[in-house]
Amino acid sequence: MQTTDSNKIHEIIEAITDRKGKKISVLELDRIDTAPAPSFIICQGNSTSQVSSIADSIRYRLQKNLDVKPYNYDGYKNSQWIVIDYGDVMVHVFLPEFRDFYNLEELWNDASITNLPDLD
C-alpha cells in the first residue's frame, strides 16, 4: 500500500470513529481485476443523521488534513447508504439494515478483509 493510501485510510478511520461509527471493515481489493477501487472502507451508523454526520466528517477531515476532495459522493438524500469515491478508496457508510441487505463484505469475500474493533 502506498503512503498516500495509508494516510487516507487512517484519516477516514479517524473520521468514522470521531462520529462513533461502528463495525469498520477495510477491504483490500487491489488483487481483484474487476474491483472498482483498490480499497473499500465500510462502516455503519445507527440513524440517518449519524450516517450523514460520519460522511460529512470523512469529507471534512480529508480535505482539511490531506487537501483531498472526493471525486463523487451519493446517498445523502436518504442517508441510508452514502458512498464517497476517492478513486483509490471508496467509503460506504450504511444504516445497519442496509449494510446487512447489500452485504458488500460477502460480495467481495475474495478480498483481504480487516474488521476493526469498536472503540466503546
Side-chain angles (χ1 to χ4, degrees):
M1 189 180 338
Q2 299 173 354
T3 306
T4 308
D5 295 343
S6 63
N7 288 343
K8 197 179 292 180
I9 289 170
H10 172 77
E11 291 292 337
I12 291 167
I13 292 169
E14 289 295 313
I16 294 167
T17 57
D18 283 351
R19 295 292 182 261
K20 309 290 188 223
K22 300 289 185 206
K23 296 188 177 180
I24 302 169
S25 297
V26 180
L27 285 68
E28 294 299 334
L29 304 161
D30 52 343
R31 293 192 175 116
I32 303 171
D33 292 336
T34 57
S39 299
F40 278 10
I41 298 177
I42 303 170
C43 69
Q44 65 190 48
N46 292 322
S47 67
T48 56
S49 299
Q50 187 182 20
V51 167
S52 58
S53 177
I54 291 167
D56 286 344
S57 177
I58 293 165
R59 291 174 46 224
Y60 174 79
R61 188 176 184 114
L62 264 68
Q63 185 166 355
K64 179 179 178 244
N65 294 348
L66 300 178
D67 196 28
V68 173
K69 291 182 179 181
Y71 292 109
N72 204 354
Y73 52 88
D74 193 24
Y76 275 94
K77 184 175 182 182
N78 295 323
S79 294
Q80 298 166 338
W81 173 12
I82 296 176
V83 62
I84 309 169
D85 180 1
Y86 285 102
D88 55 348
V89 181
M90 291 186 77
V91 185
H92 301 269
V93 186
F94 284 100
L95 283 176
E97 59 269 25
F98 287 86
R99 183 177 185 171
D100 291 344
F101 180 79
Y102 289 103
N103 200 1
L104 295 183
E105 290 94 338
E106 180 63 29
L107 180 66
W108 295 103
N109 68 358
D110 45 350
S112 170
I113 301 174
T114 304
N115 296 308
L116 304 178
D118 291 338
L119 294 181
D120 59 353

